[in-house]
Amino acid sequence: MMNISLAIMTDHNNRCIFYGEIAIITQLEQYFGQETRRFTLDQDFVKELQIVVEEHPDYTIRRAQEVFAKVLATNRK
């Protein structure tokens, strides 16, 4: 069985919540984020994501993979 790890990262400065695979979140932590929660698939990731969204209803929710692709594109210029 494959052990896939997920994470939720909260960036309070830019008022964003990022979610996705831990490897991508770890890379994004270099640029954003003050708070990260890590999970494996056997933990209730979706429930935790809902809790974070409820804690910060005015924050934008973004997939980490999409944000990381934009960061990479910006850094290559």
Side-chain angles (χ1 to χ4, degrees), residues 1-73:
M1 179 182 252
M2 183 186 249
N3 187 14
I4 298 174
S5 296
L6 301 170
I8 301 167
M9 181 177 69
T10 306
D11 176 5
H12 298 290
N13 291 335
N14 294 306
R15 304 175 73 79
C16 289
I17 299 167
F18 303 100
Y19 68 94
E21 293 181 36
I22 190 69
I24 296 171
I25 293 287
T26 300
Q27 295 295 319
L28 284 176
E29 284 178 318
Q30 299 175 53
Y31 304 98
F32 313 103
Q34 292 83 36
E35 180 183 347
T36 302
R37 300 179 190 184
R38 292 168 168 77
F39 304 90
T40 57
L41 284 182
D42 60 337
Q43 295 172 309
D44 201 347
F45 173 78
V46 174
K47 184 176 180 179
E48 288 297 323
L49 182 58
Q50 290 172 339
I51 290 170
V52 172
V53 170
E54 289 172 7
E55 289 173 354
H56 308 288
D58 55 335
Y59 283 26
T60 303
I61 305 166
R62 302 186 68 188
R63 284 186 60 221
Q65 186 173 358
E66 295 169 1
V67 175
F68 188 60
K70 290 179 182 178
V71 168
L72 284 179

